[in-house]
Amino acid sequence: MCTHAQCYIVPPYLLEKLAKHGNNSCKRALNDTGRIAERRRNSLNNLLLRKPEEGKGERFIYDSKNQFEQRLELVRKEGQEAVADSSVNKAYETSGFVRDYFKDTFGLNSIDGNGLDIISNVHYGEGYNNAYWDGDEMTYGDGDGKEFTDFASAIDVVAHELTHGVTQFLANLEYQSQPGALNEHFSDVFGTIIKQKYLKQDISEADWLIGDSVVTEGFPGLAIRSMKAPGTANDFDTQPDHMDNYYNGSGDNQGVHINSGIPNKAFYLCCLEIGIDDCALIWFETLKSLWRTADFNDMVETLIRTAEELISENKVSEKAIEAIGNSFSQVGLTPIVA
Amino acid sequence: MKYQINIEGGFTGIPKQFEGELKLDKEVEKNMLEALSVTHEDHSHLRDGFTYTVKFSDGKEVYESQFNESNLPENLRRFITDVQKKSH
Ligand SMILES: [Zn+2]
Ligand SMILES: [Zn+2]
């Protein structure tokens, strides 16, 4: 065991090792060490801007006016009436829906659990085919109109980006290789869950597609990714759905948007067995227990440990452990039984 | 001057490549090559940002550098946006 006080002097690599073996207080300390270092840097840089009290998770929507600039002009903030620009209203509405989902379902107060304001930039750049999270805010392009259209208007895209923020504060999975693919996976998981809630679908009605509403008719495919059938969403989709086809190249930060297909498929299969709400809770609690360098095997181990805990508290189906084992075995990640 | 631009990552994860040749004003060319040589900081919390690999060659030398959303110099950003627009 490792008490809180001791953890501060344990070097981060050792804390990572301990966290790997399921020591939650070490895992917390590991996150804390990073956070403390960062906070120290920030407070030194910006002594006056530090706000220790909890925020209200308020929405701020900025218009980049087709320039490559963030926070250019504030066009709508929390509580204000709708404006004429539908991208602005969509970003406002969907980011609120995502925030409320995390709050109502898991008691998470905004992105960081501490009421961080939710900042979105719409109409970023010219024909910009992307949406991203940069550590403190979201940024959306309009798309080029040829293959892609307004990224800010899609619930699954908004949920995906906002979840990158949640992941940053809960587990800080590094953005390369397997931890990076897990980072992408969690964003697609909550992207798809929240999309189904938003559309009031059940899992049999859902299409399990990510980004189907941001592709145009001219785009050679239905969507950007498919959780049900990774690798089939469009002509460029190279996502594997099994470890046999794992991508080992260096592109895309060693395949963060590619290898995420493997856990994505397992998530879909698991939802078929125990339902999406039990999976949502297991995945969310697992995210809280993961650490910066966690890989696919760590993920499976942590999911099972988390499910055991949740079953003992009567919070998820008793079949959860078996369901996780089956789903991940089908994608080539058979859990090692301790 | 010949150029090659590789854009990868991003929310879509679909890589794009643009190649071509262009005649530039000496001063503009010099500024672009300078932009390639500046070292830049990495923004470690960027998620779904594009990675831009920009390569120029003037027949004698090859200049290459990699950027992300937070450190792509303004003149290269403009250049890449123009190249993408022209490819339509
Ligand atoms: Zn920012
Ligand atoms: Zn992402």
Side-chain angles (χ1 to χ4, degrees):
Chain A
M1 278 303 282
C2 165
T3 69
H4 204 58
Q6 282 170 327
C7 276
Y8 287 107
I9 52 161
V10 181
Y13 76 89
L14 205 66
L15 288 174
E16 251 159 40
K17 248 193 170 149
L18 288 163
K20 209 170 172 156
H21 290 98
N23 187 321
N24 255 320
S25 73
C26 284
K27 137 87 178 155
R28 264 194 302 278
L30 176 64
N31 278 343
D32 286 349
T33 318
R35 251 180 242 142
I36 285 161
E38 192 166 317
R39 214 179 289 153
R40 198 175 293 144
R41 269 197 302 278
N42 286 342
S43 58
L44 282 174
N45 287 344
N46 230 336
L47 208 58
L48 291 171
L49 278 180
R50 251 196 87 189
K51 282 193 287 177
E53 75 272 16
E54 203 155 305
K56 289 192 221 137
E58 294 189 330
R59 290 165 287 180
F60 292 81
I61 315 291
Y62 289 84
D63 187 347
S64 290
K65 299 178 149 185
N66 295 113
Q67 292 178 277
F68 289 96
E69 269 183 68
Q70 295 169 307
R71 306 198 199 186
L72 187 63
E73 188 183 313
L74 180 62
V75 283
R76 190 174 174 194
K77 64 179 182 190
E78 194 68 43
Q80 287 183 342
E81 293 291 305
V83 295
D85 185 336
S86 70
S87 296
V88 171
N89 297 331
K90 268 289 198 183
Y92 180 87
E93 186 213 341
T94 49
S95 59
F97 190 88
V98 178
R99 174 194 62 191
D100 295 348
Y101 171 81
F102 279 110
K103 181 85 192 269
D104 300 344
T105 317
F106 312 116
L108 186 75
N109 182 10
S110 191
I111 297 169
D112 64 342
N114 199 35
L116 185 76
D117 284 333
I118 296 170
I119 295 161
S120 309
N121 301 274
V122 303
H123 304 307
Y124 180 77
E126 248 180 283
Y128 183 70
N129 287 331
N130 200 20
Y132 67 88
W133 163 262
D134 74 355
D136 52 20
E137 68 204 295
M138 291 162 291
T139 299
Y140 304 95
D142 293 333
D144 57 9
K146 191 189 161 217
E147 290 186 311
F148 299 103
T149 176
D150 189 15
F151 285 76
S153 294
I155 180 71
D156 47 1
V157 175
V158 171
H160 178 108
E161 295 311 326
L162 209 145
T163 304
H164 275 309
V166 172
T167 297
Q168 175 183 318
F169 289 99
L170 292 186
N172 198 22
L173 287 158
E174 65 182 359
Y175 207 51
Q176 57 170 340
S177 194
Q178 286 191 16
L182 289 175
N183 197 322
E184 275 305 313
H185 166 63
F186 279 103
S187 276
D188 279 348
V189 160
F190 288 103
T192 213
I193 294 170
I194 293 169
K195 179 184 173 192
Q196 290 181 31
K197 299 293 171 197
Y198 185 81
L199 298 174
K200 298 189 170 70
Q201 290 176 329
D202 77 35
I203 58 171
S204 61
E205 299 166 293
D207 55 21
W208 301 87
L209 296 171
I210 301 287
D212 54 302
S213 67
V214 300
V215 302
T216 62
E217 299 229 318
F219 180 76
L222 285 173
I224 292 168
R225 287 180 283 279
S226 166
M227 303 192 73
K228 181 178 179 176
T232 66
N234 60 64
D235 290 357
F236 316 105
D237 186 358
T238 56
Q239 280 203 319
D241 65 356
H242 194 282
M243 286 302 282
D244 286 351
N245 298 315
Y246 186 84
Y247 170 76
N248 269 311
S250 62
D252 184 32
N253 289 326
Q254 296 164 289
V256 297
H257 296 89
I258 302 171
N259 290 323
S260 53
I262 297 167
N264 278 1
K265 176 75 189 244
F267 174 78
Y268 162 76
L269 293 169
C270 200
C271 287
L272 295 188
E273 291 202 42
I274 56 170
I276 202 164
D277 292 323
D278 279 7
C279 284
L281 181 59
I282 296 166
W283 258 253
F284 181 77
E285 290 300 323
T286 294
L287 183 59
K288 283 161 71 181
S289 298
L290 288 178
W291 55 96
R292 193 176 61 86
T293 56
D295 64 17
F296 285 3
N297 286 321
D298 296 325
M299 168 83 180
V300 181
E301 238 180 78
T302 310
L303 279 169
I304 288 178
R305 212 169 50 229
T306 304
E308 274 167 2
E309 267 173 52
L310 292 170
I311 290 169
S312 75
E313 294 161 11
N314 276 321
K315 286 181 178 159
V316 299
S317 159
E318 279 180 4
K319 294 190 308 184
I321 294 168
E322 205 192 326
I324 293 164
N326 288 341
S327 315
F328 279 88
S329 297
Q330 286 184 65
V331 301
L333 287 162
T334 308
I336 305 145
V337 187
Chain B
M1 191 168 72
K2 286 195 172 118
Y3 64 85
Q4 194 188 84
I5 300 158
N6 285 297
I7 305 177
E8 59 177 38
F11 176 79
T12 68
I14 300 170
K16 297 261 180 214
Q17 195 184 90
F18 303 94
E19 270 180 322
E21 196 165 357
L22 76 169
K23 192 99 194 79
L24 286 177
D25 186 271
K26 270 271 163 286
E27 190 63 17
V28 176
E29 184 171 315
K30 190 172 148 264
N31 288 343
M32 297 251 273
L33 294 178
E34 261 170 25
L36 276 195
S37 64
V38 177
T39 49
H40 24 76
E41 245 175 78
D42 200 32
H43 196 316
S44 64
H45 285 309
L46 263 175
R47 304 291 180 252
D48 295 329
F50 283 130
T51 303
Y52 303 87
T53 308
V54 185
K55 201 155 117 183
F56 289 132
S57 62
D58 58 8
K60 284 174 286 180
E61 270 181 272
V62 178
Y63 308 81
E64 186 179 333
S65 195
Q66 205 173 68
F67 303 92
N68 64 36
E69 298 293 354
S70 66
N71 62 27
L72 183 65
E74 189 55 41
N75 54 347
L76 291 179
R77 168 81 79 184
R78 180 74 12 235
F79 172 68
I80 291 168
T81 305
D82 287 344
V83 167
Q84 274 179 293
K85 268 197 277 184
K86 259 180 243 142
S87 80
H88 287 176

